[in-house]
């Protein structure tokens, strides 16, 4: 979906296909047929943006077979779909029964991550619509926090500088500018937007502005970051925001109450990590997963808790829980509500539909499509309320 900002530039809205896990090219093509095109039709759109997730095997098939790449581009066009951004965070296995810590491997200290992201950049340059010259790829924020030392930090810095050089060469070759967006996430070496400023300033001193951050509004909220402070600090530091992911975290106002803890327990599930945070006088306190917070009594209960669980945007949980949709709205206002957009690529990323408590999960493909279409409708309405005009 495309929108015209009041300054005349185009802002793109998509939804991320990691909600339909597929490891192979055949699986990706099936996603387009079974999910993406039906969602576009529900929205009554001639064109729908998708933030494509290409796992290791799918990317390898495309990078080694030009005919397959041309076939994917043709399939996108036939189904009324377009790709301006990729989700390069998960490498493989995102549809596994247990993902947890595996999603952070390989990290930016591993040459495999550099090679994979280079491939993704080449693929995105070939998949961009003819009238679009800029693409974005979100990726993990360096690494999980442990083990990580100065040697690891140096290796990651070198990899990102090498990547920036490759992106420069790719633009010279194709005329397409691909930018990388590190995605701060609780528990990682870059957990917050403020954590990103030092490493990215250091990289930019050598590599220029190819690499910025992806603001995921669920992660921002989970870490209790204030959107105004976060965006202001990034602007002051000259850190670009190539991409933002529109998502909402799980919020519990009174975690000491038994009924609140019972409601939270329904969201503690075995597939994904749900890092949980609370604010104290001494600063942020947290656990790596929701069940640790609930059963280990690891967090103080005198202030609200937030958990890294992507809640469907249009459908907050029933009381006594809620979502952090207001944080998303505030962040979006600061990113695209001003005289010029600070990012032009927005992506709805609710990958947890099938991890929701059983009563809330879609029971079939039709219900899932209805839910994603409703999320995109809400995001569209937020954008038009900010003065952007939806384009055909």
């Amino acid at each position: 979906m495309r929108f015209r900002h009041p300054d005349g530039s185009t802002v793109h809205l998509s939804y991320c296909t990691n909600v339909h896990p597929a490891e192979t090219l055949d699986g990706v093509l099936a996603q387009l047929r079974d999910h993406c095109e039906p969602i576009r039709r529900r929205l009554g759109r001639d064109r729908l943006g998708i933030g494509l997730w290409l796992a290791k095997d799918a990317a390898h098939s495309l990078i080694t077979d030009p005919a397959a790449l041309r076939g994917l581009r043709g399939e996108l066009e036939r189904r009324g779909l377009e790709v301006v951004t990729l989700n390069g965070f998960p490498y493989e296995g995102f549809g596994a029964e247990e993902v947890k810590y595996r999603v952070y491997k390989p990290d930016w200290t591993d040459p495999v991550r550099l090679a994979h992201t280079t491939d993704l950049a080449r693929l995105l340059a070939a998949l961009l619509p003819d009238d679009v010259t800029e693409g974005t790829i979100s990726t993990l924020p360096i690494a999980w926090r442990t083990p990580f030392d100065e040697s690891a930090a140096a290796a990651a810095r070198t990899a990102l500088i090498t990547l920036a050089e490759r992106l420069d060469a790719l633009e010279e070759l194709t005329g397409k500018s691909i930018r990388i967006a590190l995605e701060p996430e609780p528990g990682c070496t870059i957990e917050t937007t403020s954590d990103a400023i030092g490493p990215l300033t250091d990289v930019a001193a050598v590599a220029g502005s190819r690499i910025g951050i992806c603001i995921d509004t669920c992660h921002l909220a989970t870490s209790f970051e204030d959107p105004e402070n976060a965006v202001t600090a990034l602007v002051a530091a000259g850190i670009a925001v190539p991409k933002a992911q529109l998502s909402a975290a799980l919020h519990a106002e009174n975690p000491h109450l038994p009924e609140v803890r019972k409601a939270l327990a329904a969201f503690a599930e075995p597939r994904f990590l749900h890092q949980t945070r609370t604010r104290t006088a001494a600063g942020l306190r947290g656990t790596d997963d929701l069940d640790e917070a609930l059963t280990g009594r690891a967090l103080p209960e005198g202030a609200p808790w937030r958990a890294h669980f992507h809640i469907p945007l249009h459908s907050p949980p029933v009381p006594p829980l809620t979502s952090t949709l207001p944080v998303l709205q505030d962040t979006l206002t600061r990113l695209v509500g001003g005289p010029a957009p600070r990012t032009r690529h927005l992506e709805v990323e609710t990958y947890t539909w099938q991890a929701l408590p059983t009563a809330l999960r879609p029971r079939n493909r039709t219900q899932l499509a209805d839910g994603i279409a409703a999320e995109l409708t809400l995001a569209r309405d937020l954008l038009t309320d900010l003065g952007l005009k939806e384009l055909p």
Side-chain angles (χ1 to χ4, degrees):
M1 300 168 75
R2 298 187 185 191
F3 297 80
R4 181 73 67 208
H5 191 275
D7 78 339
S9 62
T10 300
V11 173
H12 294 265
L13 172 66
S14 62
Y15 89 92
C16 187
T17 63
N18 64 355
V19 67
H20 319 298
E23 301 290 317
T24 66
L25 178 57
D26 285 345
V28 171
L29 295 173
Q31 288 175 351
L32 305 184
R33 179 193 68 227
D34 296 339
H35 299 287
C36 303
E37 185 178 10
I39 291 169
R40 176 183 66 77
R41 293 186 181 280
R42 276 170 173 74
L43 291 166
R45 305 291 305 167
D46 293 332
R47 173 174 53 191
L48 176 65
I50 57 172
L52 201 57
W53 174 57
L54 296 173
K56 173 197 68 171
D57 290 343
H60 180 75
S61 296
L62 292 167
I63 209 72
T64 57
D65 186 348
L69 181 54
R70 290 193 297 271
L72 174 58
R73 181 178 173 117
E75 191 72 359
L76 289 165
E77 292 173 353
R78 280 191 294 275
R79 299 194 181 280
L81 307 170
E82 67 177 11
V83 175
V84 302
T85 189
L86 300 180
N87 187 331
F89 197 135
Y91 178 67
E92 62 181 340
F94 201 61
E97 291 186 4
E98 182 177 328
V99 179
K100 298 289 184 181
Y101 295 94
R102 291 172 51 192
V103 75
Y104 306 105
K105 293 292 185 178
D107 61 32
W108 277 102
T109 68
D110 189 332
V112 172
R113 174 62 67 171
L114 172 61
H116 177 62
T117 309
T118 301
D119 286 347
L120 292 180
R122 292 170 57 194
L123 294 173
L124 181 56
L127 293 173
L128 286 175
D130 290 338
D131 63 342
V132 175
T133 59
E134 181 180 295
T136 56
I137 301 172
S138 50
T139 186
L140 81 160
I142 308 294
W144 186 251
R145 69 181 184 275
T146 56
F148 196 80
D149 55 20
E150 291 183 6
S151 175
R157 177 179 181 273
T158 298
L160 291 171
I161 291 171
T162 300
L163 177 63
E165 293 169 348
R166 293 177 180 179
L167 296 178
D168 286 341
L170 181 64
E171 183 172 8
E172 289 185 13
L173 180 66
T174 65
K176 304 291 187 179
S177 175
I178 307 299
R179 296 198 294 166
I180 305 300
L182 303 183
E183 182 183 330
E185 177 164 315
C188 293
T189 59
I190 296 176
E191 172 160 338
T192 65
T193 56
S194 60
D195 293 338
I197 291 175
L200 287 180
T201 301
D202 188 33
V203 169
V206 179
S209 60
R210 285 285 180 190
I211 301 173
I213 76 162
C214 170
I215 294 180
D216 182 303
T217 56
C218 171
H219 303 172
L220 190 85
T222 299
S223 294
F224 288 87
E225 288 198 77
D226 176 73
E228 179 180 9
N229 292 342
V231 174
T232 299
L234 292 171
V235 171
I239 304 299
V241 184
K243 175 178 179 178
Q245 288 175 326
L246 308 183
S247 54
L250 186 64
H251 180 93
E253 186 67 20
N254 298 296
H256 65 286
L257 297 177
E259 60 268 30
V260 174
R261 301 179 75 85
K262 180 179 179 181
L264 282 171
F267 287 85
E269 53 84 35
R271 186 170 173 186
F272 300 111
L273 278 185
H274 301 294
Q275 300 94 318
T276 304
R277 300 288 185 266
T278 188
R279 283 187 295 192
T280 72
L284 206 62
R285 290 274 302 277
T287 60
D288 284 355
D289 217 342
L290 179 55
D291 57 356
E292 297 173 32
L294 291 169
T295 62
R297 300 281 176 176
L299 295 184
E301 301 174 339
W305 289 5
R306 288 178 179 174
H308 171 217
F309 195 119
H310 289 221
I311 300 298
L313 302 187
H314 68 292
S315 182
V318 298
L321 303 179
T322 187
S323 82
T324 59
L325 182 63
V327 176
L328 183 161
Q329 294 171 294
D330 190 0
T331 307
L332 192 61
T333 298
R334 299 179 190 286
L335 289 176
V336 301
R342 300 195 184 281
T343 186
R344 291 189 294 275
H345 289 180
L346 304 171
E347 178 183 74
V348 171
E349 198 215 11
T350 305
Y351 60 84
T352 45
W353 276 95
Q354 299 301 340
L356 290 167
T358 303
L360 304 178
R361 293 178 195 172
R363 292 189 297 274
N364 51 50
R365 191 182 296 166
T366 297
Q367 290 186 352
L368 177 60
D370 288 343
I372 294 172
E375 289 194 288
L376 286 165
T377 297
L378 183 148
R380 179 197 64 195
D381 292 346
L382 293 178
L383 290 172
T384 56
D385 287 347
L386 290 172
L388 282 73
K389 179 181 179 181
E390 188 175 7
L391 298 175

